[in-house]
Amino acid sequence: MTPPPPATTTPTSVPDQSIGGADVAALRDISRRVLWLSAAIIDSANRGRPNETGIKVGGHQASSASMVDIMVALWFHHLTDLDRVSVKPHASPVLHAINYLLGDLDPKYLTTLRAQGGLQSYPSRVKDPDTVDFSTGSVGIGATAALWAAVAHRYLASRFPGTPPAGRFVSLLGDAELDEGAIWEAVADPQVAKLGELLWVVDLNRQSLDRIVPDMQITRLQGMFAAAGWQVVVLKWGRTIGELFARPGGEELRRRLEEMPNEEYQRILRVDSSEIAARLVGESGSGELRALLDSLTAAQLSTAVRDLGGHDLGLLVDTFDGVDTHRPTVVFAYTVKGHGLPTEGHPNNHSALLTEAQMRSLAASCGVPFEDPWRMFDTGTAAAEVCDRRGRLLRRSPHTTSAPVPVPTSLGHPHRKTSSTQAALGRLLADLVRDAPEVAARVVTCSPDVASSTNLGGWINKTGVWSVAERHDWFADDTDRVLRWSEVPNGQHIELGIAEVNLVSLAGELGATWSRWGRRLIPIATLYDPFVSRALEPWSYGMYAGGQSILVGTPSGVTLAPEGGAHQSITTPSIGLEQPSCVAWEPAFAQDLEWCFLHAMNQVGVPGGISAYFRLSTRPVDPAPALLPEDPALLERRRLQAVAGGYRLRAPGPAPEQITLVGVGAIMPEVVAAADALAELGIEAGVVCLTSPDLVFRSFQQRGSRTVGGGSDIIDELFPPHRPAPLVTVLDGHPHTLSYLAGARGDRIRCLGVTEFGQSSDLADAYKLHGIGTEAILDAALTLLGR
C-alpha cells in the first residue's frame, strides 16, 4: 500500500508513550470519573431542570457507558492535537465529560444538555460550546465523515503546499451503525484502502435500540472490512480473564462464553454474582471448569465475565498505539452496554434513566460526592496530572487562513449560440481556468461515474483527475480519445463509484476545509438530477455540519424525454427550495447560468457561506428570447435581478397587463411562445423568468416580517402590488413549487407542471403528456381570463 503523504503523517505532537501500571491506574480513575460525569450530565438534564411540559428530555446513559473506556484510552493517552474524531451520537455526554476534565468546557454547560444554547443532544461541530470535530446526529453518515475529511485533507495537501498537517481521522461507531448502507458505500470505495490515517473503533455492545442483537455475525463484518483492504483487530477479552483462559479449564470457559447466545451472556450480567458459576457450568461442564470457577470468589467471577476487550484500558492503549499506518484500521472492541451502571446488559436500557437512588450509588462507586457532582480531581493526584498534561497537549493552535479569492461576477463572454444550461456549466468551468485562474485553482469537481455525461469533460482535460497516487495512463497515445483521463496527485476532479451518498459526503468535507485547516475549496458535485433524492440526507447532514458545496443535478425533468421512467425528476425543485443552508437555482439561459453559478461560487468555502443546488437541463435553449440589454448599466441590472431570483422578460407597458406567465428553466421557450400567441389575440401578457424560486419565496416570506430583514425585494419587482393580474406558472417539475406565488398579490393562479412518472417519448409528446407545452400554457391563460 502507498503510505500517506508527509502532510498527513507528520504530527506536531505525538501520543503519550509512557504507559505503565501507575498510568493505567490513573486512566482507571479518570474512566470512573467520566462514567459518573456522563451519567450526571444526563441526570441533571432530566431531574435537575424545571419541566413544565412533562416531555422527557432524554439521553443515553447506557450507550455512553459502553464507550467510556475506549474514549478515555484515546483522549487521555493516544490522540494528538492533529487528530480529528467522530463520536457516535449517543456518546455525546462522554465527549463533553472528557472535554470538561481537559479544561475545554466551561462547567456552566454541564447542566445544559438538550437545552437551548447548551450541549446538543448529539455532537454538533457548529452548535456545541466545546471542541467537536464532526457532527454525528445522522447515524452512519457522521461516522463516515472522518473518512471523507481524510480524503479532503489528502486532496488539499497535494494541491496546496503549506497546508497544515493532519494526524489520524478516527470514527467511533456503535455496532448497530454497521447496518447503515452509508458505511459500506464508503468502505468499498477503492481509494479508501490507501488511507492509513483512518482508525475506526466499533463499540460492539451487541445491543440496538429495541433489543439484544441475536446474531452479530462478527466474522462476516471482519471479512467485509478485510476484503476492502482494512486491517481488522478484534478485542474480545481483556487481559484479566485472558489469564483465566490460560489455566486448566480455561479453554472450556472461553468456549462456553463464546458459544453462548448474546442474550444468555447479557442475562448472566443481570443475575446475582452467586449464580454466575452455576450458569456457566450448566449441565455439561467438566470438573476442570468447576474447579476453575470454584477457585474464584463470586465478586472475582463477576468482574471476570465483564472483562471485555473494550473495557481493558491497558489493552486499548497498546492496540491504538500499534495499529498499521499504511492502511485503514478497524478495531472491533467488545463492550457491555451500560458498563458500570445498574442498567448494564438490560435489553431495554437504551434510553433508560437511573433513579436518584441509583445515581447516589453510582456516585459512591465512582468516588464522587453526590452533592458536588462536578468536582474535579484533587490537585496533585495522578489523575489530575494526566488531565492537565493531556489538556495542554491536545490544545489546538489557531490556523492561519489563506488570502481571500474573489470570484468574478461575470466572465464577459457573450452567449449567442443555442445551448443547454448543462453545456453552459461545462463551458464556464473550462473558461474559468483561463479567465480566473486563482478561482479555478480552488475548484474541485466530483461525480459518481457521470463526469462526461454531466459536461465536465473540458474541465477534466484541463485540470486532470485527482488520485491518491499517480496511475499510468495507458490511453495517453490514443488519438481518438476525446476525454483525457489522466489520474495524478494534483488533479482537480475526484471520480467516485456509483454511490451518490459518497459523492455528497465528500463534497461536504471538501467544503469544510476552510474552517478545519484555513484553506478554501469550492467543491462542485454533479449527478443525475433524479438521484438528488437519494443523496439528500447525507448532503443535508454535510450542510448541518458546516460544509458548503454546490450540487448540480443534471439532466432534469421530462426534457430528458427519450430516457423516460424514473430517470425524469419531478419533485427535486421543491426539495431544493425546502433545504436549509442552501439556495436552489434553475436558470433558463446560458448567461443566467453563468451569473448565478459565479454568484453561488462566491458564497462557498467562506465564513457565513451557503451551499447551492443547481437543477440543469440538456435541452438546448436559444438565448435570443432572453432579450439581454446591450447597455452596460441595464445589463448589470439584469444580472442583479437574476442573482436575486428572477426578472421580467418584458417590462410592463402602458396598457394594463391582463395576465402574467411565469416560467422556470428549460420550459421558458414555451412560455415565451405562449405570450406571443396571446399577443396575437390582443391579450397583454407579462413574462417572468425565475432563476431561483427559492430566493423569490424568501423575498415573499420576509415582506412585512419583523424577524427577517435585509433581504431582496425582488418579488415586488416581479409582481408589482399595484398591477395585479392572474398568474400561469409552469416548470418542468412539480407544480407545487410555484404555488406560493398566488399570495404575492392575491392573484388567481393556475400551476402547470409534472405530477406523474415519465415515459419514453420525444420532447413534444412529453410536454403534451404532462400538459406543460405552449398549447397547455395558452389554454390555462385563456381559462383564467374567461375566454
Side-chain angles (χ1 to χ4, degrees):
M1 297 295 177
T2 303
T8 300
T9 58
T10 307
T12 58
S13 59
V14 296
D16 283 346
Q17 297 297 330
S18 57
I19 195 74
D23 296 291
V24 172
L27 292 182
R28 178 53 60 195
D29 289 341
I30 294 170
S31 177
R32 283 193 291 267
R33 187 61 57 91
V34 171
L35 175 65
W36 162 255
L37 286 170
S38 61
I41 287 170
I42 298 169
D43 181 71
S44 176
N46 286 274
R47 294 195 307 109
R49 293 202 300 259
N51 187 348
E52 298 178 358
T53 65
I55 299 174
K56 175 184 174 183
V57 176
H60 301 86
Q61 290 171 322
S63 294
S64 292
S66 63
M67 283 295 300
V68 166
D69 294 315
I70 293 169
M71 294 177 67
V72 165
L74 285 168
W75 267 265
F76 293 92
H77 173 76
H78 180 71
L79 297 179
T80 77
D81 61 318
L82 299 181
D83 298 329
R84 299 294 181 265
V85 188
S86 169
V87 178
K88 80 171 189 176
H90 294 157
S92 64
V94 182
L95 177 60
H96 299 310
I98 287 173
N99 283 340
Y100 170 61
L101 291 178
L102 293 173
D104 187 41
L105 178 66
D106 191 304
K108 70 180 182 182
Y109 288 107
L110 294 172
T111 59
T112 66
L113 180 68
R114 302 191 174 196
Q116 184 176 357
L119 302 176
Q120 297 299 297
S121 52
Y122 307 122
S124 173
R125 181 169 177 258
V126 296
K127 295 182 179 180
D128 271 315
D130 51 342
T131 299
V132 176
D133 294 326
F134 298 94
S135 300
T136 54
S138 201
V139 177
I141 298 171
T144 67
L147 181 156
W148 299 116
V151 175
H153 185 268
R154 286 284 193 109
Y155 175 85
L156 202 65
S158 68
R159 291 276 308 149
F160 301 99
T163 293
R168 283 196 178 278
F169 292 85
V170 184
S171 289
L172 307 179
L173 305 81
D175 49 19
E177 288 187 84
L178 296 181
D179 290 340
E180 297 283 343
I183 296 290
W184 300 108
E185 288 189 37
V187 168
D189 191 88
Q191 63 189 332
V192 171
K194 299 180 177 66
L195 302 178
E197 61 269 41
L198 288 184
L199 171 62
W200 284 17
V201 185
V202 180
D203 172 17
L204 203 68
N205 61 43
R206 291 161 289 176
Q207 285 187 242
S208 60
L209 191 151
D210 292 327
R211 60 178 181 154
I212 297 169
V213 180
D215 298 300
M216 183 53 66
Q217 299 182 356
I218 179 65
T219 302
R220 178 175 61 88
L221 295 174
Q222 292 176 44
M224 293 168 70
F225 275 102
W230 290 53
Q231 177 190 21
V232 180
V233 179
V234 178
L235 304 182
K236 178 170 283 190
W237 302 108
R239 287 164 171 164
T240 297
I241 197 171
E243 293 176 358
L244 292 181
F245 293 155
R247 298 185 193 178
E251 188 56 36
E252 184 179 352
L253 174 61
R254 180 199 290 271
R255 286 198 307 272
R256 174 76 178 97
L257 286 168
E258 294 185 353
E259 291 175 0
M260 66 174 56
N262 290 336
E263 299 94 327
E264 183 182 1
Y265 174 77
Q266 304 281 87
R267 184 69 188 102
I268 286 177
L269 302 178
R270 305 290 304 164
V271 302
D272 187 272
S273 59
S274 62
E275 299 179 30
I276 297 176
R279 286 178 175 266
L280 289 174
V281 171
E283 297 180 356
S284 58
S286 70
E288 274 193 340
L289 177 58
R290 292 175 187 271
L292 175 62
L293 299 181
D294 287 344
S295 69
L296 304 173
T297 66
Q300 289 173 328
L301 185 55
S302 178
T303 299
V305 297
R306 289 167 168 78
D307 185 32
L308 299 180
H311 298 304
D312 187 324
L313 284 165
L315 178 62
L316 288 165
V317 162
D318 290 344
T319 299
F320 295 149
D321 286 350
V323 296
D324 195 344
T325 59
H326 296 92
R327 56 175 173 160
T329 297
V330 58
V331 176
F332 288 96
Y334 278 73
T335 63
V336 175
K337 192 167 184 176
H339 183 67
L341 302 180
T343 56
E344 69 175 0
H346 194 283
N348 302 123
N349 65 7
H350 181 77
S351 56
L353 299 174
L354 301 188
T355 65
E356 180 178 343
Q358 290 172 324
M359 286 296 296
R360 287 183 178 275
S361 177
L362 179 64
S365 67
C366 292
V368 181
F370 180 77
E371 305 303 333
D372 187 11
W374 317 123
R375 181 173 176 176
M376 298 289 276
F377 289 109
D378 292 337
T379 302
T381 62
E385 291 178 358
V386 171
C387 290
D388 178 67
R389 183 175 74 251
R390 294 299 298 171
R392 285 184 281 108
L393 285 172
L394 293 177
R395 196 164 296 127
R396 295 172 183 170
S397 302
H399 53 64
T400 57
T401 303
S402 56
V405 181
V407 178
T409 58
S410 174
L411 297 184
H413 305 300
H415 294 269
R416 296 190 179 95
K417 296 181 179 179
T418 296
S419 172
S420 70
T421 49
Q422 176 178 300
L425 172 62
R427 171 183 165 179
L428 183 152
L429 291 175
D431 288 346
L432 202 66
V433 178
R434 179 185 66 248
D435 298 339
E438 289 189 7
V439 176
R442 297 288 168 178
V443 172
V444 51
T445 60
C446 44
S447 69
D449 200 37
V450 293
S452 58
S453 56
T454 54
N455 274 72
L456 296 182
W459 164 261
I460 291 173
N461 283 344
K462 288 191 174 185
T463 63
V465 178
W466 181 83
S467 178
V468 173
E470 189 164 355
R471 295 171 62 90
H472 183 73
D473 184 2
W474 293 100
F475 286 85
D477 58 348
D478 189 336
T479 57
D480 292 333
R481 189 177 66 169
V482 176
L483 179 61
R484 295 190 295 274
W485 199 264
S486 177
E487 297 185 41
V488 291
N490 64 343
Q492 288 184 249
H493 174 77
I494 303 177
E495 187 79 355
L496 298 104
I498 305 175
E500 287 79 12
V501 171
N502 286 353
L503 173 76
V504 294
S505 297
L506 173 59
E509 289 303 322
L510 290 167
T513 59
W514 68 272
S515 58
R516 291 198 191 281
W517 300 291
R519 300 296 184 270
R520 180 189 185 186
L521 292 176
I522 304 174
I524 300 169
T526 65
L527 78 168
Y528 291 161
D529 196 65
F531 305 142
V532 165
S533 300
R534 182 185 300 173
L536 186 62
E537 183 195 359
W539 192 48
S540 181
Y541 157 82
M543 287 181 276
Y544 168 80
Q548 302 163 13
S549 59
I550 298 176
L551 184 65
V552 178
T554 184
S556 64
V558 300
T559 54
L560 189 66
E563 288 281 356
H567 267 63
Q568 296 177 348
S569 56
I570 296 172
T571 61
T572 48
S574 181
I575 287 175
L577 190 150
E578 295 163 5
Q579 173 60 49
S581 301
C582 169
V583 173
W585 303 87
E586 190 171 353
F589 302 102
Q591 183 62 74
D592 293 346
L593 181 280
E594 178 187 308
W595 285 334
C596 296
F597 207 87
L598 290 171
H599 178 77
M601 289 173 63
N602 196 45
Q603 296 179 298
V604 168
V606 293
I610 193 168
S611 296
Y613 159 53
F614 278 82
R615 189 173 189 260
L616 304 185
S617 172
T618 53
R619 183 196 182 184
V621 174
D622 183 355
L627 301 175
L628 284 174
E630 294 185 5
D631 180 85
L634 294 179
L635 186 64
E636 173 62 8
R637 185 172 188 272
R638 168 66 69 84
R639 186 192 71 81
L640 291 174
Q641 290 174 327
V643 301
Y647 53 87
R648 278 185 165 263
L649 272 176
R650 300 175 184 183
E657 189 170 290
Q658 295 170 269
I659 195 159
T660 304
L661 308 184
V662 184
V664 180
I667 203 74
M668 281 308 299
E670 283 66 35
V671 176
V672 172
D676 291 340
L678 288 168
E680 292 179 3
L681 296 174
I683 298 172
E684 185 72 20
V687 177
V688 173
C689 176
L690 299 186
T691 55
S692 173
D694 187 350
L695 290 178
V696 176
F697 177 73
R698 297 182 196 201
S699 176
F700 169 67
Q701 282 288 90
Q702 67 193 19
R703 286 196 315 190
S705 172
R706 296 181 180 178
T707 58
V708 180
S712 166
D713 60 356
I714 190 66
I715 194 159
D716 291 332
E717 290 188 45
L718 300 177
F719 308 100
H722 61 285
R723 306 189 74 156
L727 303 177
V728 176
T729 69
V730 57
L731 77 161
D732 189 359
H734 201 283
H736 156 266
T737 306
L738 301 179
S739 60
Y740 69 87
L741 291 176
R745 298 179 300 203
D747 299 318
R748 290 180 298 123
I749 193 170
R750 179 86 167 93
C751 298
L752 306 182
V754 182
T755 59
E756 301 292 337
F757 289 116
Q759 57 181 282
S760 297
S761 66
D762 63 23
L763 189 61
D765 286 338
Y767 280 5
K768 181 178 292 186
L769 176 67
H770 297 286
I772 56 175
T774 301
E775 292 181 2
I777 300 169
L778 182 62
D779 179 68
L782 294 174
T783 300
L784 281 175
L785 293 171
R787 300 290 184 95

